[in-house]
């Protein structure tokens, strides 16, 4: 049994790892003992309801926030405390983010061309504007947009899905090793979500990116990520191989999440609301207390079993 | 079959723009029976919310209802004088919007918000409003004593349930729900939708349920309509629209939804 997910893959050094990270905001324990590792060419999904701490993890990894306790490791080095200006710059170049809201994350007064040329020039990936132009076209084509049409456009001329593709292209322009995508599809129409998920999965593979995919939608996690962490109330309750977890979820909260994913072939039963409300409340209250013990239930499948018994209906 | 509760006939809504009119809802007809839950699906911009606003006559310029009839219990809402409409809006047709939970007044205790609504529409005294409010809280599964709290003391899901409770307090015949759970996580979504189904069974109201989530819609509705670019391209029973969609666009919508692999669909807590 191993408590430490970092020790799991020996010989393979993660680009970024959180090691037993705690984050407190006053009396609120937003993160409790989070240990995750991001590897090149692999995606890790953080799944949980709003307020469970998944965005706090992303903010710590993007260095917009710092752990109260525990370590942030970057290519094996302890980088919990801020380093020199040049070291911070190098870190930020290596770790890029795609945000939830495609409508507010592009500057409305600049063209798409400007959004992509700037990171190329600033990071020295194109020495001249002429060379940058070629790189912009390649980036746009790579994220599935028509370079000739899209380059000259302004953000308001694009749909939400197209803007999210531009955001991904902007992140790629920096040539990062890690991409943190925080709910990249939740503000998009259902009908275009799959396209964005497929794009993320493809660039991850082609560019050997380490991808941290944050979502409240466990169904989309299955599309992108080889590994997942189910979080509740700041704690990792179940983690490991995505397929193993989905096929055989062991923690009651993971089961609760899966039970609530809308499934057209399973109509909701009338007269069931009181029962489900009670189960959901029970599962939440038994998943909330800090659980130190980690149990290995498969080759790459771990849970923090709740101290109390699981409701009989499970 | 009984006459439908609401019968929408050839409804057309235009947005009047500088460049001319944009037809957001194009000659749409459908009806909702008494006690029926009717789902309206489609992508953003397809016109489904525009229909919701047209029914309650809450459309604002530049939206313009340029044609059609909306027969509610046989009376055309579009021809009704504004003063008369006030007796129907909220009292007989309630609405719950996506961000409805944010429409609670943060400075008022929830019991006062119940009173606000019940006093205006039903002339209730404070005592009567409190009693009805507590009854509604019990119905939506919140401890009645908490009606004295302020909105910020509740979670997002509870606030959405409170809005539904306020809406139901007037015992409407039709409730329009426009993406009522989209801002909430799936567990809370299931809690709310199951509750709506149970309340519907108890009170017999009709529901117009608007969402882009076809799966959630098929779990809850009797009949489904699918909209594409302002037109209703398919209407049918839930089993037909989900198992044998007639229109190519409906099939596309189904295929586009990221769903769980079969191994993960064991039906926990079923």
């Amino acid at each position: 049994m191993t408590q430490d997910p970092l020790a799991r893959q020996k010989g393979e050094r993660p680009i970024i790892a959180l090691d037993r990270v705690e984050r407190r905001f006053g009396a609120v324990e937003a993160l409790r003992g989070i240990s995750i590792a991001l590897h090149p060419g692999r995606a890790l999904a953080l799944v949980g309801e709003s307020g469970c701490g998944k965005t706090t993890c992303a903010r710590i990894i993007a260095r917009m926030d710092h752990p109260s306790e525990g370590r942030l490791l970057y290519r094996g080095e302890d980088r919990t405390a801020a380093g020199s200006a040049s070291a911070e710059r190098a870190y930020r170049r290596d770790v890029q983010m795609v945000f939830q809201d495609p409508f507010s994350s592009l500057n409305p007064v600049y063209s798409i061309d400007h959004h992509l040329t700037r990171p190329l020039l600033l990071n020295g990936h194109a020495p001249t504007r002429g060379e940058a132009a070629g790189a912009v076209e390649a980036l746009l084509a790579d994220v599935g947009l028509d370079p000739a049409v899209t380059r000259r456009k302004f953000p308001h001329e694009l749909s939400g899905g197209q803007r999210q593709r531009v955001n991904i292209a902007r992140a790629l322009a920096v040539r990062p090793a890690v991409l943190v995508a925080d709910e990249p599809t939740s503000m998009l129409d259902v009908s275009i979500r799959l396209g964005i998920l497929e794009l993320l999965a493809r660039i991850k593979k082609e560019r050997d990116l380490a991808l941290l995919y944050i979502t409240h939608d466990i169904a989309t996690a299955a599309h992108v990520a080889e590994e997942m962490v189910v979080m509740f109330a700041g704690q990792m309750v179940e983690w490991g191989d995505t397929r193993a977890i989905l096929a055989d979820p062991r923690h009651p909260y993971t089961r609760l999440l899966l039970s609530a994913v809308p499934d057209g072939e399973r109509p909701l039963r009338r007269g069931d609301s009181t029962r489900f409300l009670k189960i959901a409340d029970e599962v939440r209250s038994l998943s909330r207390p800090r659980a130190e013990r980690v149990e290995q239930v498969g080759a790459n499948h771990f849970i923090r079993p709740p101290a109390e018994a699981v409701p009989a209906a499970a | 079959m009984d006459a439908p509760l609401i019968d929408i006939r050839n409804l057309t809504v235009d947005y009047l723009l500088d460049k001319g009119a944009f037809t957001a809802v194009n000659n749409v007809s459908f009806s909702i029976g008494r006690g029926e839950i009717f789902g309206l699906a489609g992508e953003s911009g397809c016109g489904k919310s525009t229909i919701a606003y047209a029914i309650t006559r809450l459309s604002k310029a530049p939206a313009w209802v340029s044609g059609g009839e909306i027969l509610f219990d046989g009376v055309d809402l579009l021809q009704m004088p504004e003063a008369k409409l006030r007796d129907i809006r909220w009292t007989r047709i309630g609405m719950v919007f996506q961000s409805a939970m944010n429409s609670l007044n943060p400075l008022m205790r929830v019991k006062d918000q119940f009173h606000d609504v019940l006093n205006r529409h039903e002339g209730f005294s404070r005592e009567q409003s409190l009693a009805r409010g507590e009854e509604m809280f019990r119905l939506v599964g919140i401890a009645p004593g908490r009606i004295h709290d302020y909105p910020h003391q509740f979670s997002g899901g509870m606030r959405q349930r409170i809005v539904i409770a306020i809406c139901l307090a007037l015992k409407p015949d039709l409730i329009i729900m426009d993406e009522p759970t989209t801002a909430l996580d799936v567990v809370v979504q299931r809690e709310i939708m199951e509750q709506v189904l149970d309340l519907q069974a108890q009170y017999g109201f009709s529901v117009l349920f608007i969402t882009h989530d076809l799966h959630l819609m098929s779990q809850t509705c009797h009949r489904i309509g699918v909209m594409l670019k302002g037109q209703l391209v398919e209407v049918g029973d839930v089993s037909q629209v989900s198992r044998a969609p007639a229109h190519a666009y409906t099939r596309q919508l189904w295929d586009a939804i990221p769903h769980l692999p079969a191994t993960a669909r064991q039906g926990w807590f079923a």
Side-chain angles (χ1 to χ4, degrees):
Chain A
M1 195 196 342
T2 167
Q3 172 142 15
D4 183 5
L6 303 184
R8 198 171 61 231
Q9 291 106 7
K10 284 221 169 68
E12 201 192 331
R13 197 176 65 179
I15 303 177
I16 286 189
L18 296 182
D19 178 23
R20 286 162 290 175
V21 162
E22 307 270 325
R23 180 67 174 110
R24 286 181 289 272
F25 298 104
V28 180
E29 294 184 319
L31 297 180
R32 303 186 286 175
I34 300 294
S35 295
I36 55 172
L38 302 176
H39 294 272
R42 296 228 299 263
L44 175 72
L46 281 187
V47 183
E49 62 178 19
S50 37
C52 75
K54 52 196 197 302
T55 296
T56 305
C57 283
R59 288 173 55 85
I60 286 173
I61 288 173
R63 286 189 98 53
M64 294 190 274
D65 193 11
H66 296 275
S68 308
E69 260 170 67
R71 296 185 303 160
L72 166 69
L73 300 171
Y74 171 60
R75 299 190 187 272
E77 264 176 64
D78 185 346
R79 294 286 290 272
T80 317
S84 68
S86 67
E88 286 299 297
R89 259 202 307 278
Y91 181 96
R92 281 166 209 270
R93 191 173 297 152
D94 238 9
V95 181
Q96 286 291 311
M97 277 196 86
V98 175
F99 296 96
Q100 177 172 1
D101 186 354
F103 301 94
S104 70
S105 46
L106 295 172
N107 190 331
V109 302
Y110 288 118
S111 69
I112 302 309
D113 189 54
H114 176 94
H115 278 93
L116 300 181
T117 304
R118 206 171 141 76
L120 286 168
L121 293 175
L122 281 176
N123 291 285
H125 298 317
T128 64
R129 284 198 172 267
E131 278 173 64
V136 166
E137 295 200 350
L139 279 169
L140 286 171
D142 204 18
V143 297
L145 295 169
D146 180 349
V149 181
T150 316
R151 271 190 70 171
R152 303 283 162 223
K153 288 203 167 169
F154 285 83
H156 74 270
E157 297 175 282
L158 301 178
S159 70
Q162 288 170 325
R163 281 187 236 197
Q164 206 56 305
R165 286 174 191 269
V166 171
N167 277 317
I168 293 168
R170 188 213 50 80
L172 295 179
V174 185
R175 296 190 197 162
V178 178
L179 196 61
V180 178
D182 190 358
E183 301 270 13
T185 62
S186 49
M187 289 188 66
L188 303 177
D189 257 324
V190 175
S191 53
I192 50 174
R193 284 184 189 172
L194 213 47
I196 299 287
L197 296 177
E198 277 160 9
L199 170 64
L200 286 172
R202 177 170 62 80
I203 55 171
K204 169 201 76 182
K205 208 167 137 210
E206 285 174 2
R207 294 169 182 253
D208 212 23
L209 276 171
L211 178 66
L212 179 64
Y213 175 72
I214 294 177
T215 184
H216 66 268
D217 184 354
I218 195 166
T220 63
H223 281 259
V224 184
E226 293 89 356
E227 287 185 295
M228 76 158 81
V229 175
V230 179
M231 286 182 68
F232 182 75
Q235 201 161 224
M236 297 163 63
V237 295
E238 181 155 9
W239 63 96
D241 182 72
T242 301
R243 266 177 278 177
I245 293 174
L246 293 180
D248 185 19
R250 298 296 187 89
H251 196 280
Y253 182 71
T254 313
R255 292 176 180 180
L256 182 68
L257 258 189
L258 285 168
S259 80
V261 173
D263 182 344
E265 283 164 33
R266 207 187 298 280
L268 296 179
R269 273 209 309 262
R270 280 167 174 76
D272 209 24
S273 65
T274 330
R275 189 187 70 99
F276 185 73
L277 211 59
K278 193 162 160 271
I279 289 175
D281 275 347
E282 269 174 30
V283 170
R284 288 193 190 101
S285 64
L286 66 85
S287 306
R288 195 163 284 121
R290 187 182 276 264
E292 298 292 351
R293 194 168 68 85
V294 173
E295 192 180 310
Q296 181 164 21
V297 293
N300 179 16
H301 188 175
F302 304 82
I303 63 166
R304 271 203 173 85
E308 283 173 70
V310 176
Chain B
M1 198 178 132
D2 289 349
L5 176 67
I6 191 160
D7 191 3
I8 295 171
R9 294 182 181 170
N10 312 103
L11 181 70
T12 298
V13 185
D14 293 326
Y15 282 92
L16 305 175
L17 308 169
D18 296 340
K19 296 180 250 183
F22 169 78
T23 305
V25 176
N26 191 354
N27 202 21
V28 166
S29 303
F30 65 92
S31 64
I32 306 175
R34 283 162 218 278
E36 184 178 41
I37 304 183
F38 184 87
L40 205 51
E43 294 173 69
S44 29
C46 73
K48 54 195 196 303
S49 296
T50 305
I51 292 179
Y53 283 106
I55 292 174
T56 42
R57 291 241 320 249
L58 291 169
S59 319
K60 286 193 199 107
W64 174 252
V65 180
S66 60
E69 294 176 307
I70 299 175
L71 301 176
F72 183 72
D73 250 346
V75 182
D76 189 356
L77 293 177
L78 296 175
Q79 302 301 327
M80 195 173 273
E82 189 68 29
K84 194 126 186 293
L85 197 64
R86 234 171 283 150
D87 300 335
I88 287 190
R89 214 188 266 151
W90 302 116
T91 319
R92 298 199 59 200
I93 303 180
M95 291 189 86
V96 177
F97 298 105
Q98 177 173 351
S99 49
M101 55 198 181
N102 302 325
S103 61
L104 292 169
N105 186 334
L107 300 176
M108 274 168 88
R109 292 177 196 276
V110 173
K111 63 169 180 182
D112 295 328
Q113 312 201 33
F114 268 99
H115 180 63
D116 203 30
V117 171
L118 288 166
N119 179 260
R120 176 151 315 174
H121 291 279
E122 307 278 349
F124 273 28
S125 68
R126 289 208 165 263
E127 292 69 38
Q128 284 175 307
S129 297
L130 183 63
R132 175 71 67 85
E134 285 175 343
E135 179 196 336
M136 300 323 292
F137 257 48
R138 234 172 263 125
L139 276 179
V140 297
I142 305 176
R146 294 207 59 195
I147 199 165
H148 302 281
D149 288 350
Y150 287 96
H152 75 267
Q153 292 170 285
F154 297 92
S155 69
M158 281 171 128
R159 285 205 298 272
Q160 194 70 326
R161 272 158 38 203
I162 292 172
V163 173
I164 292 172
I166 292 177
C167 185
L168 283 174
L170 292 165
K171 311 231 153 106
D173 300 310
L174 172 69
I175 299 184
I176 299 173
M177 298 193 161
D178 191 356
E179 305 272 10
T181 54
T182 304
L184 304 166
D185 70 83
V186 287
V187 177
V188 178
Q189 169 170 283
R190 179 167 164 192
E191 286 174 357
I192 290 179
M193 290 319 296
E194 289 202 340
Q195 220 150 40
V196 168
L197 289 188
D198 285 355
L199 292 168
Q200 193 278 333
Q202 199 175 339
Y203 288 100
F205 51 80
S206 308
V207 179
L208 172 59
F209 180 38
I210 298 175
T211 180
H212 58 239
D213 190 336
L214 270 177
H215 279 283
L216 183 63
M217 194 170 266
S218 344
Q219 281 185 301
T220 47
C221 293
H222 299 114
R223 278 192 310 139
I224 291 178
V226 180
M227 287 194 67
L228 170 65
K229 294 180 179 156
Q231 286 179 314
L232 196 60
V233 293
E234 179 161 5
V235 184
D237 276 353
V238 61
S239 56
Q240 179 255 309
V241 178
S242 55
R243 298 217 177 89
H247 199 278
Y249 177 70
T250 312
R251 281 194 295 275
Q252 256 181 40
L253 260 189
W254 274 111
D255 292 342
I257 302 172
H259 53 77
L260 285 170
T263 53
R265 292 160 72 183
Q266 303 106 323
W268 294 102
F269 303 112

